[in-house]
Amino acid sequence: AGSAARAALREVAAADWAAADQRFLGYDDAALQHITEARRLYAEGSQAYLDLQLDNAIQLLGQAVEEFDASQAALEDESGLGTALLYLGASYVFSGHTRVGRRIFERLHRQMPHIKPDPNEFPPEVVEQYERANPFFVFGGKEIAKSFRRW
């Protein structure tokens, strides 16, 4: 409930959400700058995706993911990172770079399997590639890795 309240507070222009986040989560000014920049880049990148400016979306969303990754220790709620990955993967798939998109979707499956493309919002090929990128399958109620690659 706390992270949801802070997320809602960020939408209120007059609210000093940054100070509240910083005080509650205990991160420094550098982390706050990364998080603020990541959210700005995500907003611009997701809008570029919706405007079908896919090259611009890929650039902005890629930068957003880098900024979220740089501040990941300070993130209580990773939904911003998750949605940035979702739109980045969709941008790659929709622009014809299926393999790159599937690698991003695979990361999304591993880190935040609860974040999925809504079939009412994303084209069928994006939803299909997201589903195909799932590195696990269910057998007898248990998740089993599809491959046994060595890392």
Side-chain angles (χ1 to χ4, degrees):
S3 63
R6 283 188 301 286
L9 189 60
R10 281 186 218 110
E11 302 300 318
V12 178
D16 185 11
W17 65 267
D21 261 8
Q22 204 169 6
R23 212 171 299 123
F24 180 78
L25 298 173
Y27 52 76
D28 62 12
D29 290 336
L32 177 62
Q33 288 174 346
H34 283 295
I35 293 169
T36 302
E37 182 66 3
R39 289 178 180 141
R40 182 190 68 77
L41 289 164
Y42 163 72
E44 290 180 19
S46 60
Q47 187 58 54
Y49 170 84
L50 294 172
D51 293 340
L52 299 177
Q53 299 171 352
L54 299 176
D55 290 338
N56 192 30
I58 288 168
Q59 179 185 359
L60 292 166
L61 292 165
Q63 291 173 341
V65 168
E66 288 176 15
E67 292 290 336
F68 277 123
D69 283 344
S71 61
Q72 197 163 15
L75 290 178
E76 177 189 31
D77 176 12
E78 291 187 327
S79 64
L81 171 60
T83 53
L85 286 167
L86 178 61
Y87 276 94
L88 180 59
S91 297
Y92 274 115
V93 169
F94 205 42
S95 68
H97 300 15
T98 304
R99 285 186 183 172
V100 179
R102 281 178 51 184
R103 278 197 304 264
I104 291 165
F105 286 154
E106 188 173 312
R107 176 181 173 187
L108 190 57
H109 277 288
R110 289 182 192 280
Q111 282 187 267
M112 292 156 267
H114 60 282
I115 296 178
K116 303 173 183 182
D118 181 346
N120 296 320
E121 185 177 347
F122 292 92
E125 59 264 33
V126 168
V127 175
E128 177 186 340
Q129 293 303 322
Y130 172 84
E131 290 171 358
R132 292 179 81 194
N134 188 347
F136 301 99
F137 67 92
V138 177
F139 180 76
K142 295 183 180 184
E143 273 193 352
I144 300 172
K146 282 185 181 175
S147 70
F148 299 102
R149 289 185 262 178
R150 290 187 183 153
W151 299 101

